[in-house]
Every structure is written in C-alpha cells, then in structure tokens.
Amino acid sequence: MRIMICDYQIDLERNLEYEKELLLSAFPDAEISIFMYSEDRKTDFLALLKDTDAVINTYVPFDREVLSACGKMKCIALNSMGLDTVDIQAATEFGIMVCPVAEYCTDEVAEHTVALIFALSRGLKLYTRDIEKHIWNYQSAGKLRRLRGQTMTIFGFGHIGRAVAARSQGMGIHVQVVSHSLGDYEAQELGVVKVDWKTAMKSSDIISNHLSFNRQTAGYFDLGKFKCAEKSPLFINTGRGGTVVQEDLIKALDLGYLRGAGLDVLEAENTDLSKLALLGRDNVILTPHAAFYSIQSAKELQRISCANVICALTGRYDQITKLANPTAAGRR
C-alpha cells in the first residue's frame, strides 16, 4: 500500500512524522512518501500517482488530468474544509473518495474574525503606525464608533458563522444572517434576524463573509452588491477568497462603498504581493490565510486527515468525518 502526503513547500513545513506515525499504526507495511509539489515537477508527480492508494493534500490541484493518472487511488483526504482544489465530478467518475475535514478550527476562525473587526473598529493599524513614528495622538484614527448597537450581517451560517454570531451578540452587536439553510424558528431561537442580501447590504455596519466556495458563490461579492451598501460597512472575509471579486472590492474601498476591510483570504492563494493593490491602505488589514491556525487546530487537522484515510482504506466509510462524494465509496 502506498500513501502520499503532497503539497507545496510551505505547507509541508509541519510535523509530518506525526502523520506518518498515525498512518503506520493502522498500516504497518505501508509505504508513506512525501512529495513537494511544483509545476516543474508535475510529470514526476503524475508518474508517482499511478501506484498510490491515498493522498493527503491541501493546495495541489487535482483536476481531471491529474485524477485520470490516479490508477489505484481510492481516497483524497483534504487538509481543509474547502473542496476547490479537487474536481469532484471527475473524482466521482473515477471512483475516488474526496474527504475534507468537516470541522477543526471553528474557535480559531471565529476569534480571528472578531479580532479583525476589533482592530478595524478601534483604528489599531493607524495608532500603531503613528506611535512607531513617535506620534502620540488619540484622534489620528478618526471618528471611531462603539460596536455595541451596530448591525452585522453574516453571510453563510455554518459552524463558524454561528460561532461569530454568538461572540458578536456578546458585544451587543445586532446580528443578521443571509442563509438558505437557516429556518425562521431556529433564527428566532438563536436571536438572529434572517434577511436577504439586498436588505443586508443596505442595513449593515459590518459584513462578515463565511460562504463556502462553489459555482453559485464564485464571485458572489461584486461591485453590484457593494454599491448597495448604504452605511459604508466594514467587510470581513475569513471564508473563501473566490467568493469575492477582488478588483471590485478594491473599487468599493476607493469609492467609499466600504469603509474598511479585514481579509484573511484573497482571490488567489499564491498572490503576487508586489502587485497587490490592497497593500498600503490604513483601512485594510491582511493576514496570510492564518485564521484557522493554532497549535491545537493544526494537530487536530493532521489527526482527522489521517483518520479519514484509514477509514476510507479499511471500508469504514460511515466513520469518515465528511465524504464529499458518497457514491464513490467502495468503487475501487
């Protein structure tokens, strides 16, 4: 049996011995390989996939071409909750199970979201910049407003959206939700108001994006939506970069449709920072897709991914934390 852990260099800079130990505890005779992916090594990558039974991966794209080279592959375990690196339809056709991590960093992402809201609302970037220039002036951040009494709309109401709502309500923020899955009774029980996107854009002081990425949500936040923002809200994105048209977000900031942005994700994962027009702005805070991270969440992510591989290769499909394509189970 062959199991591959593959990713780009920076994503392999973790304790891979822990993953090897977990996998070998279930499959003592397995061959565990590490593959540092880059575009110029793609031919070698495809050759190795031919005899690989399972892969643990985060960012390497598994499109139809790559999947067609996976002659024995039974399972792709993703070190993420998102599915945008895998062509699910093609994987299903080839009988390859795709197993994302269902939940491992709810607290971390919710805390990061609130931290961005705090930092922007309290002008921390401006104050820090001035103090480093030896300027001591509480008015340099402009007209700050208290958070209590403001209205925030959460787009997408899964585990993380709910955790953000609970924390925000504790600060006295009125919470609205745009969600297809949230029922009216449950909304009432949780103390949130369910609204449509137009109402949300018109009434929000803060918008927090937690939409998953799919065909329906790709480019969801565009200039047309930002133009409807009547209160010049803060825009927070700790969800998926592809749900926002980045060029339109920049225009919205330039035109004042948004008064600031806190972004943990961008339109492209490997962005050329030297050309990023979001840099150098006092009203924009960027973090490097780090909202998920803590010592605890990183280890939990590794544990769950390995457990998914073990369950998939031993036929315990009902114990996989999440199976994106159930019809592929057991077909190889």
Side-chain angles (χ1 to χ4, degrees), residues 280-303:
R281 296 169 182 258
D282 291 335
N283 62 341
V284 175
I285 295 177
L286 298 172
T287 55
H289 202 166
F292 77 94
Y293 179 71
S294 71
I295 295 170
Q296 294 89 341
S297 67
K299 192 164 186 177
E300 184 69 355
L301 176 61
Q302 292 177 283
R303 184 193 66 78

PDB file of all heavy atoms in Angstrom, residues 280-303:
ATOM      1  N   GLY A 280      -0.777  48.834   1.717  1.00  0.00           N
ATOM      2  CA  GLY A 280      -0.509  50.253   1.964  1.00  0.00           C
ATOM      3  C   GLY A 280      -1.732  51.073   2.297  1.00  0.00           C
ATOM      4  O   GLY A 280      -1.674  52.306   2.258  1.00  0.00           O
ATOM      5  N   ARG A 281      -2.820  50.429   2.655  1.00  0.00           N
ATOM      6  CA  ARG A 281      -4.061  51.152   2.983  1.00  0.00           C
ATOM      7  C   ARG A 281      -4.284  51.116   4.489  1.00  0.00           C
ATOM      8  O   ARG A 281      -4.234  50.057   5.117  1.00  0.00           O
ATOM      9  CB  ARG A 281      -5.260  50.511   2.265  1.00  0.00           C
ATOM     10  CG  ARG A 281      -5.198  50.604   0.743  1.00  0.00           C
ATOM     11  CD  ARG A 281      -6.258  49.725   0.104  1.00  0.00           C
ATOM     12  NE  ARG A 281      -6.183  49.778  -1.354  1.00  0.00           N
ATOM     13  CZ  ARG A 281      -7.015  50.486  -2.123  1.00  0.00           C
ATOM     14  NH1 ARG A 281      -7.996  51.183  -1.571  1.00  0.00           N
ATOM     15  NH2 ARG A 281      -6.870  50.478  -3.430  1.00  0.00           N
ATOM     16  N   ASP A 282      -4.578  52.279   5.059  1.00  0.00           N
ATOM     17  CA  ASP A 282      -4.809  52.354   6.502  1.00  0.00           C
ATOM     18  C   ASP A 282      -6.077  51.633   6.931  1.00  0.00           C
ATOM     19  O   ASP A 282      -6.217  51.259   8.100  1.00  0.00           O
ATOM     20  CB  ASP A 282      -4.899  53.821   6.947  1.00  0.00           C
ATOM     21  CG  ASP A 282      -3.559  54.536   6.835  1.00  0.00           C
ATOM     22  OD1 ASP A 282      -2.521  53.848   6.885  1.00  0.00           O
ATOM     23  OD2 ASP A 282      -3.560  55.771   6.689  1.00  0.00           O
ATOM     24  N   ASN A 283      -7.020  51.455   6.004  1.00  0.00           N
ATOM     25  CA  ASN A 283      -8.304  50.851   6.358  1.00  0.00           C
ATOM     26  C   ASN A 283      -8.408  49.396   5.906  1.00  0.00           C
ATOM     27  O   ASN A 283      -9.510  48.845   5.825  1.00  0.00           O
ATOM     28  CB  ASN A 283      -9.459  51.651   5.757  1.00  0.00           C
ATOM     29  CG  ASN A 283      -9.430  51.687   4.242  1.00  0.00           C
ATOM     30  OD1 ASN A 283      -8.400  51.423   3.615  1.00  0.00           O
ATOM     31  ND2 ASN A 283     -10.564  52.033   3.642  1.00  0.00           N
ATOM     32  N   VAL A 284      -7.279  48.771   5.604  1.00  0.00           N
ATOM     33  CA  VAL A 284      -7.269  47.362   5.206  1.00  0.00           C
ATOM     34  C   VAL A 284      -6.256  46.608   6.055  1.00  0.00           C
ATOM     35  O   VAL A 284      -5.105  47.022   6.195  1.00  0.00           O
ATOM     36  CB  VAL A 284      -6.914  47.187   3.713  1.00  0.00           C
ATOM     37  CG1 VAL A 284      -6.788  45.703   3.356  1.00  0.00           C
ATOM     38  CG2 VAL A 284      -7.976  47.852   2.838  1.00  0.00           C
ATOM     39  N   ILE A 285      -6.702  45.491   6.627  1.00  0.00           N
ATOM     40  CA  ILE A 285      -5.815  44.597   7.362  1.00  0.00           C
ATOM     41  C   ILE A 285      -5.825  43.247   6.650  1.00  0.00           C
ATOM     42  O   ILE A 285      -6.888  42.675   6.396  1.00  0.00           O
ATOM     43  CB  ILE A 285      -6.256  44.427   8.824  1.00  0.00           C
ATOM     44  CG1 ILE A 285      -6.140  45.763   9.564  1.00  0.00           C
ATOM     45  CG2 ILE A 285      -5.423  43.358   9.523  1.00  0.00           C
ATOM     46  CD1 ILE A 285      -6.631  45.714  10.993  1.00  0.00           C
ATOM     47  N   LEU A 286      -4.634  42.754   6.324  1.00  0.00           N
ATOM     48  CA  LEU A 286      -4.485  41.470   5.645  1.00  0.00           C
ATOM     49  C   LEU A 286      -3.743  40.493   6.544  1.00  0.00           C
ATOM     50  O   LEU A 286      -2.771  40.867   7.209  1.00  0.00           O
ATOM     51  CB  LEU A 286      -3.700  41.629   4.343  1.00  0.00           C
ATOM     52  CG  LEU A 286      -4.305  42.530   3.269  1.00  0.00           C
ATOM     53  CD1 LEU A 286      -3.316  42.722   2.133  1.00  0.00           C
ATOM     54  CD2 LEU A 286      -5.592  41.920   2.729  1.00  0.00           C
ATOM     55  N   THR A 287      -4.193  39.250   6.564  1.00  0.00           N
ATOM     56  CA  THR A 287      -3.462  38.169   7.228  1.00  0.00           C
ATOM     57  C   THR A 287      -3.325  37.015   6.235  1.00  0.00           C
ATOM     58  O   THR A 287      -4.151  36.861   5.331  1.00  0.00           O
ATOM     59  CB  THR A 287      -4.177  37.702   8.515  1.00  0.00           C
ATOM     60  OG1 THR A 287      -5.535  37.339   8.213  1.00  0.00           O
ATOM     61  CG2 THR A 287      -4.170  38.811   9.567  1.00  0.00           C
ATOM     62  N   PRO A 288      -2.287  36.177   6.372  1.00  0.00           N
ATOM     63  CA  PRO A 288      -1.916  35.205   5.329  1.00  0.00           C
ATOM     64  C   PRO A 288      -2.644  33.866   5.422  1.00  0.00           C
ATOM     65  O   PRO A 288      -2.028  32.814   5.573  1.00  0.00           O
ATOM     66  CB  PRO A 288      -0.413  35.033   5.552  1.00  0.00           C
ATOM     67  CG  PRO A 288      -0.263  35.185   7.028  1.00  0.00           C
ATOM     68  CD  PRO A 288      -1.264  36.238   7.436  1.00  0.00           C
ATOM     69  N   HIS A 289      -3.966  33.914   5.287  1.00  0.00           N
ATOM     70  CA  HIS A 289      -4.787  32.695   5.395  1.00  0.00           C
ATOM     71  C   HIS A 289      -4.427  31.951   6.676  1.00  0.00           C
ATOM     72  O   HIS A 289      -4.161  30.745   6.679  1.00  0.00           O
ATOM     73  CB  HIS A 289      -4.609  31.789   4.169  1.00  0.00           C
ATOM     74  CG  HIS A 289      -5.747  30.841   3.973  1.00  0.00           C
ATOM     75  ND1 HIS A 289      -5.954  30.148   2.818  1.00  0.00           N
ATOM     76  CD2 HIS A 289      -6.757  30.477   4.803  1.00  0.00           C
ATOM     77  CE1 HIS A 289      -7.033  29.390   2.916  1.00  0.00           C
ATOM     78  NE2 HIS A 289      -7.533  29.576   4.118  1.00  0.00           N
ATOM     79  N   ALA A 290      -4.449  32.700   7.769  1.00  0.00           N
ATOM     80  CA  ALA A 290      -3.971  32.187   9.047  1.00  0.00           C
ATOM     81  C   ALA A 290      -5.078  32.017  10.076  1.00  0.00           C
ATOM     82  O   ALA A 290      -4.815  31.574  11.203  1.00  0.00           O
ATOM     83  CB  ALA A 290      -2.917  33.148   9.615  1.00  0.00           C
ATOM     84  N   ALA A 291      -6.323  32.341   9.701  1.00  0.00           N
ATOM     85  CA  ALA A 291      -7.411  32.331  10.680  1.00  0.00           C
ATOM     86  C   ALA A 291      -7.617  30.952  11.299  1.00  0.00           C
ATOM     87  O   ALA A 291      -8.038  30.834  12.447  1.00  0.00           O
ATOM     88  CB  ALA A 291      -8.705  32.807  10.031  1.00  0.00           C
ATOM     89  N   PHE A 292      -7.307  29.911  10.558  1.00  0.00           N
ATOM     90  CA  PHE A 292      -7.515  28.549  11.037  1.00  0.00           C
ATOM     91  C   PHE A 292      -6.513  28.139  12.111  1.00  0.00           C
ATOM     92  O   PHE A 292      -6.755  27.183  12.851  1.00  0.00           O
ATOM     93  CB  PHE A 292      -7.373  27.555   9.873  1.00  0.00           C
ATOM     94  CG  PHE A 292      -5.947  27.283   9.486  1.00  0.00           C
ATOM     95  CD1 PHE A 292      -5.252  26.203  10.019  1.00  0.00           C
ATOM     96  CD2 PHE A 292      -5.262  28.134   8.619  1.00  0.00           C
ATOM     97  CE1 PHE A 292      -3.922  25.969   9.691  1.00  0.00           C
ATOM     98  CE2 PHE A 292      -3.941  27.898   8.278  1.00  0.00           C
ATOM     99  CZ  PHE A 292      -3.271  26.812   8.815  1.00  0.00           C
ATOM    100  N   TYR A 293      -5.391  28.861  12.196  1.00  0.00           N
ATOM    101  CA  TYR A 293      -4.228  28.304  12.877  1.00  0.00           C
ATOM    102  C   TYR A 293      -4.190  28.529  14.385  1.00  0.00           C
ATOM    103  O   TYR A 293      -4.368  29.628  14.883  1.00  0.00           O
ATOM    104  CB  TYR A 293      -2.930  28.866  12.281  1.00  0.00           C
ATOM    105  CG  TYR A 293      -1.709  28.333  12.990  1.00  0.00           C
ATOM    106  CD1 TYR A 293      -1.325  27.009  12.830  1.00  0.00           C
ATOM    107  CD2 TYR A 293      -0.999  29.132  13.878  1.00  0.00           C
ATOM    108  CE1 TYR A 293      -0.235  26.497  13.506  1.00  0.00           C
ATOM    109  CE2 TYR A 293       0.094  28.619  14.563  1.00  0.00           C
ATOM    110  CZ  TYR A 293       0.467  27.297  14.371  1.00  0.00           C
ATOM    111  OH  TYR A 293       1.528  26.799  15.062  1.00  0.00           O
ATOM    112  N   SER A 294      -3.916  27.435  15.083  1.00  0.00           N
ATOM    113  CA  SER A 294      -3.421  27.429  16.453  1.00  0.00           C
ATOM    114  C   SER A 294      -2.665  26.119  16.596  1.00  0.00           C
ATOM    115  O   SER A 294      -2.766  25.235  15.732  1.00  0.00           O
ATOM    116  CB  SER A 294      -4.561  27.502  17.483  1.00  0.00           C
ATOM    117  OG  SER A 294      -5.282  26.274  17.496  1.00  0.00           O
ATOM    118  N   ILE A 295      -1.922  25.955  17.641  1.00  0.00           N
ATOM    119  CA  ILE A 295      -1.213  24.695  17.866  1.00  0.00           C
ATOM    120  C   ILE A 295      -2.207  23.541  17.911  1.00  0.00           C
ATOM    121  O   ILE A 295      -2.000  22.477  17.316  1.00  0.00           O
ATOM    122  CB  ILE A 295      -0.399  24.757  19.174  1.00  0.00           C
ATOM    123  CG1 ILE A 295       0.710  25.795  19.063  1.00  0.00           C
ATOM    124  CG2 ILE A 295       0.179  23.387  19.526  1.00  0.00           C
ATOM    125  CD1 ILE A 295       1.408  26.093  20.374  1.00  0.00           C
ATOM    126  N   GLN A 296      -3.329  23.791  18.583  1.00  0.00           N
ATOM    127  CA  GLN A 296      -4.329  22.735  18.741  1.00  0.00           C
ATOM    128  C   GLN A 296      -5.017  22.398  17.423  1.00  0.00           C
ATOM    129  O   GLN A 296      -5.190  21.225  17.079  1.00  0.00           O
ATOM    130  CB  GLN A 296      -5.378  23.155  19.780  1.00  0.00           C
ATOM    131  CG  GLN A 296      -4.844  23.300  21.187  1.00  0.00           C
ATOM    132  CD  GLN A 296      -4.326  24.695  21.493  1.00  0.00           C
ATOM    133  OE1 GLN A 296      -4.027  25.488  20.591  1.00  0.00           O
ATOM    134  NE2 GLN A 296      -4.230  25.009  22.773  1.00  0.00           N
ATOM    135  N   SER A 297      -5.410  23.423  16.655  1.00  0.00           N
ATOM    136  CA  SER A 297      -6.146  23.157  15.415  1.00  0.00           C
ATOM    137  C   SER A 297      -5.256  22.480  14.379  1.00  0.00           C
ATOM    138  O   SER A 297      -5.709  21.619  13.618  1.00  0.00           O
ATOM    139  CB  SER A 297      -6.732  24.448  14.849  1.00  0.00           C
ATOM    140  OG  SER A 297      -5.714  25.335  14.411  1.00  0.00           O
ATOM    141  N   ALA A 298      -3.980  22.865  14.340  1.00  0.00           N
ATOM    142  CA  ALA A 298      -3.065  22.263  13.375  1.00  0.00           C
ATOM    143  C   ALA A 298      -2.906  20.768  13.630  1.00  0.00           C
ATOM    144  O   ALA A 298      -2.910  19.957  12.694  1.00  0.00           O
ATOM    145  CB  ALA A 298      -1.708  22.957  13.436  1.00  0.00           C
ATOM    146  N   LYS A 299      -2.775  20.390  14.890  1.00  0.00           N
ATOM    147  CA  LYS A 299      -2.633  18.965  15.206  1.00  0.00           C
ATOM    148  C   LYS A 299      -3.934  18.219  14.955  1.00  0.00           C
ATOM    149  O   LYS A 299      -3.930  17.070  14.469  1.00  0.00           O
ATOM    150  CB  LYS A 299      -2.194  18.798  16.658  1.00  0.00           C
ATOM    151  CG  LYS A 299      -1.741  17.374  16.977  1.00  0.00           C
ATOM    152  CD  LYS A 299      -0.966  17.309  18.281  1.00  0.00           C
ATOM    153  CE  LYS A 299      -0.395  15.901  18.489  1.00  0.00           C
ATOM    154  NZ  LYS A 299       0.425  15.818  19.713  1.00  0.00           N
ATOM    155  N   GLU A 300      -5.047  18.833  15.262  1.00  0.00           N
ATOM    156  CA  GLU A 300      -6.346  18.201  15.030  1.00  0.00           C
ATOM    157  C   GLU A 300      -6.576  17.986  13.545  1.00  0.00           C
ATOM    158  O   GLU A 300      -7.117  16.961  13.121  1.00  0.00           O
ATOM    159  CB  GLU A 300      -7.461  19.073  15.626  1.00  0.00           C
ATOM    160  CG  GLU A 300      -8.850  18.485  15.549  1.00  0.00           C
ATOM    161  CD  GLU A 300      -9.062  17.273  16.450  1.00  0.00           C
ATOM    162  OE1 GLU A 300      -8.099  16.802  17.093  1.00  0.00           O
ATOM    163  OE2 GLU A 300     -10.202  16.791  16.490  1.00  0.00           O
ATOM    164  N   LEU A 301      -6.151  18.943  12.732  1.00  0.00           N
ATOM    165  CA  LEU A 301      -6.267  18.817  11.283  1.00  0.00           C
ATOM    166  C   LEU A 301      -5.499  17.594  10.783  1.00  0.00           C
ATOM    167  O   LEU A 301      -6.011  16.805   9.974  1.00  0.00           O
ATOM    168  CB  LEU A 301      -5.731  20.084  10.621  1.00  0.00           C
ATOM    169  CG  LEU A 301      -5.680  20.119   9.095  1.00  0.00           C
ATOM    170  CD1 LEU A 301      -7.070  19.969   8.502  1.00  0.00           C
ATOM    171  CD2 LEU A 301      -5.052  21.415   8.613  1.00  0.00           C
ATOM    172  N   GLN A 302      -4.288  17.427  11.255  1.00  0.00           N
ATOM    173  CA  GLN A 302      -3.488  16.274  10.860  1.00  0.00           C
ATOM    174  C   GLN A 302      -4.146  14.969  11.301  1.00  0.00           C
ATOM    175  O   GLN A 302      -4.205  13.997  10.534  1.00  0.00           O
ATOM    176  CB  GLN A 302      -2.078  16.380  11.459  1.00  0.00           C
ATOM    177  CG  GLN A 302      -1.228  17.496  10.882  1.00  0.00           C
ATOM    178  CD  GLN A 302       0.121  17.578  11.573  1.00  0.00           C
ATOM    179  OE1 GLN A 302       0.231  18.083  12.679  1.00  0.00           O
ATOM    180  NE2 GLN A 302       1.146  17.066  10.928  1.00  0.00           N
ATOM    181  N   ARG A 303      -4.628  14.954  12.518  1.00  0.00           N
ATOM    182  CA  ARG A 303      -5.237  13.726  13.052  1.00  0.00           C
ATOM    183  C   ARG A 303      -6.460  13.318  12.240  1.00  0.00           C
ATOM    184  O   ARG A 303      -6.616  12.145  11.858  1.00  0.00           O
ATOM    185  CB  ARG A 303      -5.637  13.927  14.521  1.00  0.00           C
ATOM    186  CG  ARG A 303      -6.196  12.663  15.177  1.00  0.00           C
ATOM    187  CD  ARG A 303      -6.867  12.965  16.501  1.00  0.00           C
ATOM    188  NE  ARG A 303      -8.066  13.774  16.344  1.00  0.00           N
ATOM    189  CZ  ARG A 303      -9.250  13.310  15.933  1.00  0.00           C
ATOM    190  NH1 ARG A 303      -9.378  12.036  15.585  1.00  0.00           N
ATOM    191  NH2 ARG A 303     -10.293  14.111  15.839  1.00  0.00           N
TER     192      ARG A 303
END
